Amino acid sequence: MTYSAIFSHASRLREAGNRFILAELEKAGLSDIAPSHGDILVRLLACETCNMGELAKQVRRTKSTVTALVEKLERNGYVLRMPDPADSRGVLVRLTDKGRALEPAFEAISSGLQRLITDRLSKEEAELLDRLLDKCVNG
């Protein structure tokens, strides 16, 4: 095996995950949400309100990328942006009721993504793969 095969496998796994996510979003009637919105929405489901700079760090995206993604989510009524009272230049993002209503669909998508792995790997293999990929990505 060449090391480039690892990147090829990782890319194909990501593509399979994105295809699954898109299909599930379509089934749920959520055509205005893209897989790239997932990390932001999942984080906001966990914390309710978050500073944009902190959100960018947590989802490992640039501030400009997060701003563009949040703007689209705001246009579609899933989030609201407001000034951060603790930081005069900061912006807070919070879910709307429409955004909070996404939780069941996102839980189902998360379970389905887990099945993409657990249907093929044992628990031990999946844990090893997780550790190895984390080591490759985070050092």
Side-chain angles (χ1 to χ4, degrees), residues 19-94:
R19 278 193 308 273
F20 175 82
I21 292 167
L22 287 170
E24 292 300 304
L25 289 170
E26 186 177 323
K27 278 194 250 180
L30 299 170
S31 60
D32 56 351
I33 296 178
S36 57
H37 295 122
D39 287 339
I40 291 170
L41 290 166
V42 167
R43 183 68 202 132
L44 290 172
L45 284 165
C47 73
E48 194 70 26
T49 301
C50 193
N51 174 280
M52 286 280 282
E54 185 60 30
L55 184 60
K57 285 180 194 170
Q58 291 174 358
V59 299
R60 297 180 178 198
R61 301 277 185 122
T62 64
K63 288 180 185 179
S64 61
T65 297
V66 170
T67 297
L69 292 168
V70 166
E71 284 175 354
K72 183 173 181 191
L73 290 169
E74 186 176 38
R75 278 193 310 272
N76 292 326
Y78 294 107
V79 301
L80 287 176
R81 289 184 296 168
M82 64 203 96
D84 185 343
D87 177 359
S88 62
R89 295 183 303 155
V91 175
L92 295 176
V93 184
R94 76 170 178 83

